[in-house]
Amino acid sequence: MHDLGGVLTRRAFYGLLTLFLLITLVFFVTRFVGDPVAMLAGSDPTEEMLQQIRERLGLDVPVWQQYVTFLGDIVRGDLGDSYSQGVPAVELVAERLPATLLLAVLALLLAIVISIPIGVIAAIRPGSLIDSVARVLAVLGQSVPVFWLAILMIIFFAVNLRILPAGGTGTWQHLVLPAVALSISSVPLTMRLTRSALLEVLNKDYIRTARAKGLREWEVVIKHGLRNALIPIVTVLTLRLGDLIGGAIVLEQVFAYPGLGRLAVQALHVRDFPVIQAFIIVTAAAIILINLIADVIYTVVDPRVRVN
Amino acid sequence: MASFVALSAIFGPIIVDFDPNEQVLTDRLLPPGTEGEAGYHLLGTDNLGRDVLARVLAGARASLGVVLAALILGAAIGVTLGAIAGFYSGWRDNLIMRVVDAQLALPTIIAALFIAAVLGTGYWNTALTLGVTSWPAYARLMRAEVLRIREEDYIDASIGLGAPDRNLIRRHVFPNLVSSLCVVASLELGRTVLTESSLSYLGFGMQPPDASWGSMIRDGQAYIFEAPWLATVPGVYIMLTVLGMNLLGDWLRDVLDPHHE
């Protein structure tokens, strides 16, 4: 019996280490390159004003001291106040996070519902018409800029057909176009992966045994095939959630959807660094946490993973 | 397809005799295929009366130029650090690979936005941003390959003959890597074109009057009711470019790597 607790502790430690390194990178890159003081002071600042702002932001002490203070603040969950809005940056991010997560999770579910059945059909009948069409669509889907596809969808469904709103928020109709557009970025990969994972499993001996037992074909494919092919699929899907959040950031601009992305892009335009830092740290922490949970789930579910 | 886009980017100014930045206000928002005051507009004109075809081709030059510069930069950083990590192991390997992990914990577009906000926008800053965001892919590939090649007998033989590390990497390790590097680079190229277009769509890429595909789509979005071609045409170009690069990458992999199915 392998030491499950040990494996998970090590993974959690690596996750924290990764987050710590990222925070360090973000801190030094912003301090090294950006100059928030000049920006806050406006035009023609006096030396006195500059000094006041530096003191208020804690920028008047040596960098290593700022770094230690910064780490201490993060541990307490304090990432500073927004330069432009004057409220805690963490609050701003926390307020917007659910909207973006909702969009990403909806897109993930849609991607699963669309891509797994197509992948299964393509694996059962490799070389068939459906397989070929799916392959072409997958190649196209990986080459298309999603924000542009979203605009095409707005032109078609909102401008021409007038059946869905072009942007904004409030009702479930507002979520349809953004979620569908976002899911399209994940469908090609998931579909190809389902196909190849299932094809591999279907060549195994136990599938032949299942067929020899006289099971119906769908039972062989779903119960014995798909179940065993699910692990690589689930792994890649959880890893996709990070890219989905990234995609949501861009799509929120297209649809004027009030999530993290709009907050971040506004903050980036005015170089509101506390908000930018909070955005990056919270997003990265969420992604690392999701990966960790995925690790835990399949370590527990699949005994084969533990051996490696 | 990729070569078609590249050729049209290079020879664009010869084929199309419109200046991409010239504004003819009487020819505003002409649909594709209309004869305007300044001549025939195959793909129409935008809200300032500029020829869309000329702008898309200028955008091809700008986008491909930035992406190529980013590719060279990203590959140079990634290959160097990946080779160091793979060759020396130990703390250098640990440090470099943990930084790779940390950067990969952020989605590419978020990392790119952050770096662009710190560095500023414009042609060269965009190239720098895209280069810095793409190096981890090369570093991982390089490290894995160096680790594999290091086990080969001819490396042991060279070490036995007293060859210095630098020569080992340059003469024996690097030539064995060129083919897999080409595959990763062409796939990475397509991805970088997509990231560049997202960046400039969000306003953090190249700045006006430089035509970039992403910013053309953003500007065109304001006119989707009266002039839908403005947002549509540049996207078709992006798609063809990325598609061409992805197909090139797949083809290179099939040709260069007989083990891959």
PDB file of all heavy atoms in Angstrom, chain B residues 227-238:
ATOM      1  N   ALA B 227     -21.825  47.665 -40.923  1.00  0.00           N
ATOM      2  CA  ALA B 227     -20.712  47.182 -41.745  1.00  0.00           C
ATOM      3  C   ALA B 227     -20.074  45.929 -41.140  1.00  0.00           C
ATOM      4  O   ALA B 227     -18.955  45.971 -40.645  1.00  0.00           O
ATOM      5  CB  ALA B 227     -19.664  48.281 -41.901  1.00  0.00           C
ATOM      6  N   PRO B 228     -20.799  44.794 -41.169  1.00  0.00           N
ATOM      7  CA  PRO B 228     -20.299  43.585 -40.497  1.00  0.00           C
ATOM      8  C   PRO B 228     -18.969  43.075 -41.063  1.00  0.00           C
ATOM      9  O   PRO B 228     -18.256  42.358 -40.367  1.00  0.00           O
ATOM     10  CB  PRO B 228     -21.415  42.563 -40.698  1.00  0.00           C
ATOM     11  CG  PRO B 228     -22.307  43.114 -41.742  1.00  0.00           C
ATOM     12  CD  PRO B 228     -22.139  44.591 -41.735  1.00  0.00           C
ATOM     13  N   TRP B 229     -18.607  43.433 -42.314  1.00  0.00           N
ATOM     14  CA  TRP B 229     -17.358  42.922 -42.891  1.00  0.00           C
ATOM     15  C   TRP B 229     -16.125  43.444 -42.166  1.00  0.00           C
ATOM     16  O   TRP B 229     -15.074  42.829 -42.187  1.00  0.00           O
ATOM     17  CB  TRP B 229     -17.288  43.255 -44.399  1.00  0.00           C
ATOM     18  CG  TRP B 229     -17.259  44.716 -44.691  1.00  0.00           C
ATOM     19  CD1 TRP B 229     -16.147  45.506 -44.796  1.00  0.00           C
ATOM     20  CD2 TRP B 229     -18.380  45.582 -44.908  1.00  0.00           C
ATOM     21  NE1 TRP B 229     -16.508  46.799 -45.059  1.00  0.00           N
ATOM     22  CE2 TRP B 229     -17.876  46.884 -45.130  1.00  0.00           C
ATOM     23  CE3 TRP B 229     -19.766  45.376 -44.934  1.00  0.00           C
ATOM     24  CZ2 TRP B 229     -18.701  47.983 -45.369  1.00  0.00           C
ATOM     25  CZ3 TRP B 229     -20.574  46.468 -45.174  1.00  0.00           C
ATOM     26  CH2 TRP B 229     -20.049  47.756 -45.383  1.00  0.00           C
ATOM     27  N   LEU B 230     -16.258  44.597 -41.489  1.00  0.00           N
ATOM     28  CA  LEU B 230     -15.089  45.169 -40.818  1.00  0.00           C
ATOM     29  C   LEU B 230     -14.551  44.246 -39.739  1.00  0.00           C
ATOM     30  O   LEU B 230     -13.346  44.112 -39.570  1.00  0.00           O
ATOM     31  CB  LEU B 230     -15.452  46.520 -40.188  1.00  0.00           C
ATOM     32  CG  LEU B 230     -15.669  47.664 -41.161  1.00  0.00           C
ATOM     33  CD1 LEU B 230     -15.935  48.937 -40.407  1.00  0.00           C
ATOM     34  CD2 LEU B 230     -14.464  47.805 -42.070  1.00  0.00           C
ATOM     35  N   ALA B 231     -15.438  43.611 -38.972  1.00  0.00           N
ATOM     36  CA  ALA B 231     -14.986  42.700 -37.926  1.00  0.00           C
ATOM     37  C   ALA B 231     -14.746  41.302 -38.478  1.00  0.00           C
ATOM     38  O   ALA B 231     -13.990  40.525 -37.903  1.00  0.00           O
ATOM     39  CB  ALA B 231     -16.017  42.643 -36.793  1.00  0.00           C
ATOM     40  N   THR B 232     -15.384  40.980 -39.607  1.00  0.00           N
ATOM     41  CA  THR B 232     -15.317  39.618 -40.117  1.00  0.00           C
ATOM     42  C   THR B 232     -14.015  39.330 -40.863  1.00  0.00           C
ATOM     43  O   THR B 232     -13.358  38.313 -40.621  1.00  0.00           O
ATOM     44  CB  THR B 232     -16.501  39.347 -41.077  1.00  0.00           C
ATOM     45  OG1 THR B 232     -17.668  39.917 -40.514  1.00  0.00           O
ATOM     46  CG2 THR B 232     -16.692  37.878 -41.279  1.00  0.00           C
ATOM     47  N   VAL B 233     -13.629  40.228 -41.766  1.00  0.00           N
ATOM     48  CA  VAL B 233     -12.497  39.974 -42.666  1.00  0.00           C
ATOM     49  C   VAL B 233     -11.176  39.681 -41.926  1.00  0.00           C
ATOM     50  O   VAL B 233     -10.523  38.672 -42.217  1.00  0.00           O
ATOM     51  CB  VAL B 233     -12.332  41.141 -43.666  1.00  0.00           C
ATOM     52  CG1 VAL B 233     -11.046  41.008 -44.436  1.00  0.00           C
ATOM     53  CG2 VAL B 233     -13.522  41.182 -44.603  1.00  0.00           C
ATOM     54  N   PRO B 234     -10.765  40.511 -40.934  1.00  0.00           N
ATOM     55  CA  PRO B 234      -9.476  40.224 -40.287  1.00  0.00           C
ATOM     56  C   PRO B 234      -9.473  38.869 -39.578  1.00  0.00           C
ATOM     57  O   PRO B 234      -8.445  38.190 -39.556  1.00  0.00           O
ATOM     58  CB  PRO B 234      -9.322  41.352 -39.263  1.00  0.00           C
ATOM     59  CG  PRO B 234     -10.278  42.399 -39.662  1.00  0.00           C
ATOM     60  CD  PRO B 234     -11.385  41.728 -40.391  1.00  0.00           C
ATOM     61  N   GLY B 235     -10.630  38.467 -39.039  1.00  0.00           N
ATOM     62  CA  GLY B 235     -10.716  37.168 -38.358  1.00  0.00           C
ATOM     63  C   GLY B 235     -10.469  36.016 -39.310  1.00  0.00           C
ATOM     64  O   GLY B 235      -9.821  35.028 -38.957  1.00  0.00           O
ATOM     65  N   VAL B 236     -10.982  36.136 -40.536  1.00  0.00           N
ATOM     66  CA  VAL B 236     -10.734  35.095 -41.537  1.00  0.00           C
ATOM     67  C   VAL B 236      -9.234  34.972 -41.778  1.00  0.00           C
ATOM     68  O   VAL B 236      -8.683  33.868 -41.858  1.00  0.00           O
ATOM     69  CB  VAL B 236     -11.462  35.425 -42.857  1.00  0.00           C
ATOM     70  CG1 VAL B 236     -11.088  34.439 -43.938  1.00  0.00           C
ATOM     71  CG2 VAL B 236     -12.968  35.448 -42.650  1.00  0.00           C
ATOM     72  N   TYR B 237      -8.562  36.115 -41.842  1.00  0.00           N
ATOM     73  CA  TYR B 237      -7.108  36.091 -42.036  1.00  0.00           C
ATOM     74  C   TYR B 237      -6.385  35.414 -40.886  1.00  0.00           C
ATOM     75  O   TYR B 237      -5.481  34.621 -41.092  1.00  0.00           O
ATOM     76  CB  TYR B 237      -6.599  37.528 -42.222  1.00  0.00           C
ATOM     77  CG  TYR B 237      -6.211  37.784 -43.647  1.00  0.00           C
ATOM     78  CD1 TYR B 237      -7.173  38.056 -44.597  1.00  0.00           C
ATOM     79  CD2 TYR B 237      -4.884  37.699 -44.051  1.00  0.00           C
ATOM     80  CE1 TYR B 237      -6.829  38.259 -45.909  1.00  0.00           C
ATOM     81  CE2 TYR B 237      -4.531  37.899 -45.365  1.00  0.00           C
ATOM     82  CZ  TYR B 237      -5.512  38.184 -46.299  1.00  0.00           C
ATOM     83  OH  TYR B 237      -5.161  38.366 -47.602  1.00  0.00           O
ATOM     84  N   ILE B 238      -6.810  35.751 -39.644  1.00  0.00           N
ATOM     85  CA  ILE B 238      -6.170  35.113 -38.481  1.00  0.00           C
ATOM     86  C   ILE B 238      -6.363  33.608 -38.566  1.00  0.00           C
ATOM     87  O   ILE B 238      -5.429  32.827 -38.394  1.00  0.00           O
ATOM     88  CB  ILE B 238      -6.791  35.631 -37.158  1.00  0.00           C
ATOM     89  CG1 ILE B 238      -6.599  37.135 -37.030  1.00  0.00           C
ATOM     90  CG2 ILE B 238      -6.163  34.912 -35.969  1.00  0.00           C
ATOM     91  CD1 ILE B 238      -7.275  37.715 -35.799  1.00  0.00           C
TER      92      ILE B 238
END
